[in-house]
Amino acid sequence: MYELVQAALNSDDKIALYQLILAIKSTGKRYFLRNEILQAFADYCQQSHRPSYFYHASAIGKLIHYCHEIILEGDSTWFVARPRIASQEVWRLTGEGSDFEQMTPQALLDVRDRLVNRYQPHILDIDLHPFYANSPTISDPRNIGQGLSFLNRYLCSQVLTNPQYCLEVLFQVLHRLNYDGIGLLINDRIKSGDQLAEKMQQVRKFLTQIHPDTPYAKFRFELEKLGFEPGWGNTASRMSETLELLQHLIENPQPGILEAFVARVPAVFRVVLISIHGWVGQEGVLGKDETLGQVVYVLEQARSLENTLRQEIELAGLNLLGIQPHVIILTRLIPNCEGTFCNLRREKIAGTENGWILRVPFGEFNPEITDNWISKYEIWPYLETFAQDAEKELLAEFHGKPHLVIGNYSDGNLVAFLLAQRLKVTHCHIAHVLEKPKHLFSNLYWQDLEEKYHFSAQFSADLINMNAADFIVTSSYQEIVGTPETIGQYESYKCFTMPELYHVIDGIDLFNHKFNVVAPGVSEDIFFPFSQFQERDPKLQAQINDLLFHREDGQILGSLKHPDKRPILTVAPIISVKNLTGLAECFGKSQALQENCNLFILTGKLHTSEAANPEEAAEIQKLHDIINQYQLHGHIRWLGMRLPSQDIGEVYRVVADKKGLYVHFARFEAFGRSILEAMISGLPTFATQFGGALEIIEEQEHRFGLNPTDLEGSATRIWDFCTQCDAHPEYWQEVSDWMIQRVRNKYNWKLHSNQLLLLAKIYSFWNFVAPENTEARLRYMQTLFHLIYKPRADSILAKHMHR
């Protein structure tokens, strides 16, 4: 970057840089983000009649395209450049324009504080870099999020290179495995690595003398005499394969062999998934509008994990010990549950044999608050006592400690952090979406937003959670480090200020091996291709046809003039970030789309009287206003009702029957479950380019990515697809088939569960054979919890007590 800034300063185009700065100063603003910077530079190039190459290829053009922020302060201009993914540099141009000076992160945070008149000379600096300094680090940004592969390679190349050492380490790992005191894999008859190698040869020879399909129970006692306990396999052939993997691992450690062997080691039996604020239930519940996605995710994940663990236990031959998996979703019990089961302490998870929702109430404090559902923005004061109460309940339910704790969202992960520290178990962190990057400048203006959002508690909790976790699971790569054009969600925690509270100099090591991209799946018994007619319910199909195209109802707005036009569908809660109003306006501005398509909006509410808060009411009213402004009556159907998942699955398929398409027009989407649902149903799907949605579609020509800030351009892209389908009807089918296969091949719960359990085992193995000094980092997190987080949470509680 140094060479680039010097080139911009020393080139003949230096005057252009000076003129650009004058141009942006004339706006009266002092803080500019990337899109504004690029637009200002484009305007300058046009107004000054610069040649076409100048915008991209000149020294100043290259510099500007790397800039994500420009801050004007007095006579100085600050450039925050991102020369590559996960890398940021700060440069200050002096008032005379004669010199570029590289600045420290502390200096940048100070200037941001001065920008909002909140500067103070002495402030707490939070810097996590020293705690990661000696940790093995990924070097190539393209490999960020592949922590499992990195650790496998590192272990094989750096730790397990000596066969004798490898043998001894593996002996110690296998010897310590047990299930509530019941020994697994090897017993005390084997006392060293050398004995393990010797006995292993005897067992392998023994297994060659019996039929491969012989059940383990028939030769169990012969192997116990040799020192081998259950867990190697349920048949002679399965056991032979596992022992062969171990032999290869000792002789020639390879990442693939290590992964295959560790995947077979029975080490995880009890899992707790934590989802606190989500109104978690099954029948007629599935979350409030702000939590619907997380409840569906956690329920499907729990079912898949329980089923996968059951299969693993069976294949390991552990059924004969009476071992069975136990999966619990930990959430809060809500006394005023509005007719649901959310006041029921224990609820069986459908589709499992031993999966349960365990609900633990919040401590009373003020029952006017704690007896009711509490928003994710207000929940912080109750999490510490909840964790203490939940610990007792979990130990009683499990009759022992869990082997894996999975936190979901910021609040669930804070509880996971507290539980994992007390129980000494592995903590998996799944944020799904981090609030800070969703709300522009939310950290900079946190004091102005504190009464409503309490971001000081949440952002502090996020820092604690992500740094304390053993490993982090994300749904997409961009969730970690974004794209060349955008900052990732976790990357946004790398360096930021909370003026007059603290500065984060280095908040997370993005290159650390703890990050892993493990995409979720979709429930394929509910969401499946429209072409699978034998699995569709004709009665339900008829009902959904009538609902979408004909039925009159107080919760449905719009009567179609031409029901046979190609349908455009969107399914989302009516919150501003989902941008249903933007999609309606995009449709309203395009005469071509209105003449050839109908728009279907499926959301939870239709009337402002149904809104849960003023923001939701404003969004509902805005959508009504847009429909009236563009006279969309006759072209649109707005269904403001909550439908069961089975019905929503058929909605996708009915729209696909009519060769329709799906549009996800959010301003930002961390991942997008409805995108998976639409694609596997067979709907060609367009998605926002902001966030992780494009990773799902992953097509090189970017035909299905939309910029929700460019309404005309988005309408043109959708219309181009429609005209191509009209001209070549087979094209719609080709895209439909491709999207179905894309989801089936990559986004399924079986893959997700296998990978998640493998991660838990690998990180446990890593912590044993090559333990990092994490104690100091965890102590630091506990300090932040007690000195920063708790006072913020207590201040919220004080206000709740007086409501």
Side-chain angles (χ1 to χ4, degrees):
M1 197 69 196
Y2 174 81
E3 291 80 5
L4 184 58
V5 296
Q6 290 303 314
L9 197 60
N10 298 326
S11 70
D12 294 337
D13 300 324
K14 176 181 176 180
I15 188 65
L17 181 60
Y18 183 70
Q19 290 172 343
L20 174 63
I21 293 170
L22 288 178
I24 62 176
K25 278 184 176 180
S26 68
T27 66
K29 292 180 60 177
R30 296 169 61 197
Y31 205 146
F32 299 83
L33 297 181
R34 188 171 191 274
N35 284 344
E36 297 171 307
I37 296 167
L38 291 176
Q39 186 59 56
F41 185 51
D43 292 343
Y44 165 77
C45 291
Q46 182 180 15
Q47 292 165 9
S48 58
H49 306 291
R50 295 283 178 172
S52 57
Y53 79 88
F54 190 82
Y55 180 76
H56 290 288
S58 65
I60 182 177
K62 292 176 182 177
L63 173 63
I64 291 300
H65 278 82
Y66 283 132
C67 277
H68 280 252
E69 298 175 34
I70 288 180
I71 302 172
L72 304 176
E73 185 188 40
D75 291 334
S76 297
T77 305
W78 295 67
F79 295 82
V80 181
R82 192 166 173 260
R84 64 193 65 86
I85 279 178
S87 176
Q88 177 180 287
E89 295 181 11
V90 184
W91 295 83
R92 183 173 71 92
L93 182 64
T94 59
E96 300 82 16
S98 59
D99 188 36
F100 262 118
E101 178 185 7
Q102 187 166 6
M103 307 300 291
T104 64
Q106 291 93 327
L108 172 64
L109 299 180
D110 284 343
V111 78
R112 285 173 175 165
D113 287 353
R114 291 194 293 268
L115 184 73
V116 294
N117 299 317
R118 301 276 189 181
Y119 172 74
Q120 62 183 48
H122 304 291
I123 192 169
L124 172 65
D125 285 341
I126 298 174
D127 187 354
L128 274 297
H129 175 73
F131 300 105
Y132 291 103
N134 297 318
S135 178
T137 300
I138 292 169
S139 57
D140 189 338
R142 292 172 297 183
N143 294 330
I144 290 174
Q146 299 178 33
L148 174 66
S149 298
F150 173 81
L151 273 191
N152 286 342
R153 292 193 301 271
Y154 184 85
L155 286 166
C156 289
S157 64
Q158 302 292 326
V159 180
L160 304 177
T161 52
N162 184 321
Q164 188 60 41
Y165 173 75
C166 178
L167 177 60
E168 193 61 34
V169 164
L170 290 170
F171 160 72
Q172 293 177 25
V173 170
L174 300 178
H175 188 260
R176 65 195 280 267
L177 279 174
N178 70 88
Y179 177 82
D180 293 347
I182 302 172
L184 304 177
L185 297 179
I186 58 177
N187 59 37
D188 290 337
R189 288 187 175 92
I190 299 176
K191 301 184 182 301
S192 68
D194 288 335
Q195 280 194 356
L196 173 62
E198 177 188 341
K199 298 293 186 182
M200 190 163 59
Q201 297 307 319
Q202 296 178 38
V203 171
R204 294 183 69 189
K205 182 177 180 181
F206 169 80
L207 293 172
T208 62
Q209 297 170 359
I210 60 178
H211 192 279
D213 294 334
T214 305
Y216 170 72
K218 291 194 174 182
F219 54 87
R220 170 186 178 184
F221 296 108
E222 288 90 334
L223 296 191
E224 282 185 3
K225 295 174 185 176
L226 295 172
F228 283 73
E229 293 292 333
W232 295 96
N234 60 341
T235 64
S237 63
R238 178 82 179 180
M239 191 169 187
S240 293
E241 291 171 4
T242 307
L243 289 170
E244 185 177 3
L245 284 171
L246 178 57
Q247 186 71 45
H248 287 319
L249 183 59
I250 295 167
E251 294 173 350
N252 183 25
Q254 296 293 326
I257 296 173
L258 175 62
E259 184 172 316
F261 175 72
V262 171
R264 292 193 176 206
V265 173
V268 178
F269 305 98
R270 295 189 288 251
V271 180
V272 54
L273 296 81
I274 306 175
S275 179
I276 306 298
H277 71 275
W279 198 256
V280 179
Q282 297 177 97
E283 293 184 22
V285 188
L286 286 182
K288 297 282 189 178
D289 278 350
E290 77 173 44
T291 62
L292 173 61
Q294 72 162 281
V295 176
V296 173
Y297 179 103
V298 172
L299 281 169
E300 291 183 2
Q301 186 185 56
R303 290 189 193 100
S304 181
L305 281 171
E306 200 262 0
N307 292 330
T308 301
L309 284 170
R310 191 169 298 283
Q311 293 167 12
E312 283 193 0
I313 289 169
E314 181 180 348
L315 288 172
L318 295 177
N319 285 355
L320 55 84
L321 298 181
I323 295 175
Q324 64 170 329
H326 196 170
V327 175
I328 287 176
I329 296 175
L330 174 65
T331 189
R332 62 170 297 230
L333 185 147
I334 306 174
N336 296 335
C337 63
E338 301 177 18
T340 71
F341 291 143
C342 289
N343 64 344
L344 193 66
R345 178 183 175 275
R346 218 163 160 266
E347 182 182 351
K348 180 79 172 291
I349 299 174
T352 69
E353 294 182 39
N354 198 23
W356 301 86
I357 300 172
L358 176 64
R359 301 185 180 93
V360 176
F362 281 167
E364 272 199 9
F365 299 104
N366 179 0
E368 293 294 321
I369 301 290
T370 55
D371 281 358
N372 300 290
W373 177 76
I374 300 174
S375 164
K376 61 185 176 183
Y377 301 117
E378 300 280 338
I379 205 167
W380 307 107
Y382 311 104
L383 298 181
E384 186 177 16
T385 54
F386 177 86
Q388 295 165 358
D389 296 339
E391 180 185 350
K392 301 170 189 173
E393 297 273 1
L394 287 171
L395 292 174
E397 286 293 314
F398 282 135
H399 302 293
K401 296 196 304 184
H403 302 108
L404 176 62
V405 173
I406 303 174
N408 289 273
Y409 293 85
S410 300
D411 48 1
N413 273 295
L414 192 72
V415 173
F417 156 70
L418 295 170
L419 286 173
Q421 295 306 296
R422 288 181 57 84
L423 297 174
K424 307 301 179 188
V425 297
T426 302
H427 171 197
C428 167
H429 176 284
I430 307 180
H432 301 282
V433 63
L434 292 161
E435 291 292 322
K436 188 167 81 68
K438 279 178 60 179
H439 300 268
L440 193 61
F441 300 131
S442 53
N443 60 289
L444 201 56
Y445 295 98
W446 70 270
Q447 286 136 309
D448 300 330
L449 302 168
E450 190 71 356
E451 185 68 26
K452 180 177 180 181
Y453 293 112
H454 305 295
F455 283 143
S456 66
Q458 178 157 355
F459 299 167
S460 300
D462 286 335
L463 273 177
I464 293 166
N465 299 338
M466 64 180 68
N467 284 289
D470 292 284
F471 64 97
I472 296 172
V473 164
T474 70
S475 296
S476 62
Y477 174 85
Q478 72 77 34
E479 194 175 330
I480 309 169
V481 288
T483 68
E485 293 78 30
T486 60
I487 301 290
Q489 293 186 59
Y490 282 92
E491 188 179 0
S492 74
Y493 284 77
K494 181 76 172 171
C495 180
F496 69 96
T497 175
M498 301 286 284
E500 298 181 332
L501 184 61
Y502 55 71
H503 280 175
V504 176
I505 306 301
D506 193 335
I508 186 70
D509 182 0
L510 302 167
F511 290 85
N512 190 263
H513 55 73
K514 69 166 60 183
F515 284 102
N516 288 272
V517 178
V518 184
V522 62
S523 180
E524 293 189 46
D525 58 337
I526 296 174
F527 304 101
F528 54 86
F530 74 102
S531 54
Q532 294 177 198
F533 299 108
Q534 70 281 4
E535 298 179 30
R536 296 176 66 177
D537 180 350
K539 184 177 179 181
L540 178 61
Q541 185 176 352
Q543 290 173 349
I544 297 300
N545 254 301
D546 179 60
L547 176 70
L548 287 177
F549 297 98
H550 305 293
R551 187 182 308 174
E552 294 183 5
D553 189 287
Q555 292 302 117
I556 299 176
L557 176 70
S559 178
L560 300 177
K561 294 178 181 178
H562 303 286
D564 293 332
K565 290 180 181 178
R566 191 185 301 275
I568 298 172
L569 172 68
T570 192
V571 179
I574 189 156
I575 53 180
S576 62
V577 72
K578 298 300 181 181
N579 200 27
L580 297 179
T581 55
L583 178 59
E585 189 166 10
C586 173
F587 184 75
K589 284 178 174 291
S590 173
Q591 196 62 36
L593 286 180
Q594 291 179 53
E595 289 175 358
N596 293 274
C597 304
N598 290 316
L599 178 62
F600 293 80
I601 296 175
L602 178 56
T603 188
K605 297 166 184 176
L606 179 65
H607 307 290
T608 54
S609 59
E610 300 163 351
N613 52 60
E615 291 80 3
E616 191 175 68
E619 199 69 13
I620 292 171
Q621 186 58 55
K622 184 177 178 182
L623 186 50
H624 280 286
D625 292 343
I626 288 171
I627 291 171
N628 292 328
Q629 176 186 348
Y630 292 97
Q631 300 179 353
L632 297 181
H633 299 282
H635 304 283
I636 192 170
R637 291 271 283 180
W638 174 1
L639 285 72
M641 55 183 68
R642 291 283 291 272
L643 297 180
S645 296
Q646 296 283 355
D647 290 9
I648 294 175
E650 192 61 27
V651 166
Y652 290 125
R653 290 187 289 272
V654 166
V655 172
D657 289 335
K658 297 182 179 296
K659 300 296 183 284
L661 53 97
Y662 186 79
V663 177
H664 189 89
F665 208 57
R667 294 188 179 94
F668 174 85
E669 183 58 67
F671 187 69
R673 288 183 49 81
S674 67
I675 296 171
L676 294 181
E677 295 167 357
M679 287 174 66
I680 200 168
S681 301
L683 279 175
T685 298
F686 291 81
T688 176
Q689 68 184 39
F690 300 124
L694 291 188
E695 282 187 42
I696 302 176
I697 299 174
E698 196 188 51
E699 47 89 27
Q700 299 303 313
E701 298 175 25
H702 305 297
R703 294 165 295 171
F704 298 98
L706 301 178
N707 180 351
T709 66
D710 179 6
L711 301 184
E712 289 81 2
S714 295
T716 298
R717 182 160 291 188
I718 296 169
W719 172 237
D720 286 346
F721 173 79
C722 293
T723 55
Q724 193 167 355
C725 291
D726 291 339
H728 307 283
E730 70 279 2
Y731 179 62
W732 185 96
Q733 191 63 53
E734 290 171 4
V735 173
S736 173
D737 292 342
W738 181 87
M739 291 198 168
I740 291 169
Q741 289 307 121
R742 170 70 180 161
V743 176
R744 279 183 167 167
N745 292 340
K746 184 166 182 179
Y747 299 98
N748 67 76
W749 282 114
K750 179 65 176 174
L751 281 175
H752 175 94
S753 296
N754 286 339
Q755 194 77 347
L756 190 60
L757 293 173
L758 178 59
L759 285 168
K761 296 174 186 179
I762 285 286
Y763 280 91
S764 177
F765 181 70
W766 162 259
N767 288 334
F768 180 80
V769 303
E772 295 182 66
N773 183 14
T774 59
E775 184 66 22
R777 186 172 79 241
L778 292 175
R779 290 290 184 190
Y780 193 44
M781 293 306 104
Q782 290 165 359
T783 301
L784 293 180
F785 175 81
H786 288 284
L787 298 185
I788 299 294
Y789 171 81
K790 280 195 69 173
R792 310 309 307 175
D794 288 344
S795 68
I796 303 170
L797 180 61
K799 295 175 182 176
H800 284 190
M801 293 300 290
H802 292 93
R803 282 190 186 175

